[in-house]
Amino acid sequence: MTLTVNGRRHEVPDGARSATVRRTWHEDTVRLELPRALRAIPLPDRPEAVAFRYGPEVLAGLCDEGRRLVGDPARPETLLAPDEERDPFAWRGSWRARGQDRGLRFVPLHEVEEESYAVYFPVTPRR
């Protein structure tokens, strides 16, 4: 996370979930940049099942039935790849499953309208 006030950077510890700036405020410009990285988030009671997030967005896998993925959730980039088939010059934030026996597309959860989807997927380590 990067925090600047009027172009001056304020230190934010790695992994911090919040930041405090104490000052007398006027007509100031505050800019907060949040890193956007692909992450696999395990279920607390089932660590073999993960959801995927890209920055703050939860990704939904568009599917009609339960699906199992094969790979390493500690390296989510080995499970999902950016889906650039539609327009390689304007990526819209969708992903596709990588190295699986069947295709699976992931989109930000807030974009799902009238489609079947899942958020958590069991992952089996690749042998």
Side-chain angles (χ1 to χ4, degrees):
M1 170 171 28
T2 303
L3 173 67
T4 61
V5 177
N6 300 326
R8 185 169 163 250
R9 187 176 178 152
H10 289 262
E11 288 302 315
V12 179
D14 285 342
R17 298 183 68 117
S18 64
T20 302
V21 177
R22 296 188 191 284
R23 60 179 284 132
T24 302
W25 295 95
H26 299 286
E27 292 188 26
D28 299 299
T29 301
V30 177
R31 182 179 176 127
L32 179 64
E33 293 181 28
L34 301 172
R36 293 184 63 91
L38 181 64
R39 295 182 356 180
I41 311 296
L43 268 170
D45 59 340
R46 284 187 55 211
E48 77 282 357
V50 300
F52 295 98
R53 285 182 39 188
Y54 181 61
E57 294 181 323
V58 174
L59 302 177
L62 303 178
C63 57
D64 292 332
E65 76 284 338
R67 298 281 297 273
R68 177 172 291 278
L69 301 177
V70 177
D72 181 5
R75 298 181 48 229
E77 69 280 357
T78 65
L79 292 162
L80 301 185
D83 183 8
E84 301 171 323
E85 291 178 7
R86 298 176 192 334
D87 185 352
F89 301 106
W91 184 57
R92 292 185 175 38
S94 63
W95 300 79
R96 61 181 165 73
R98 172 183 249 173
Q100 306 302 313
D101 61 345
R102 293 188 297 161
L104 179 60
R105 189 163 168 254
F106 287 78
V107 299
L109 180 59
H110 70 271
E111 291 181 7
V112 176
E113 291 184 8
E114 295 184 25
E115 301 170 274
S116 297
Y117 69 93
V119 173
Y120 283 96
F121 292 85
V123 179
T124 301
R126 191 173 301 282
R127 295 175 198 239

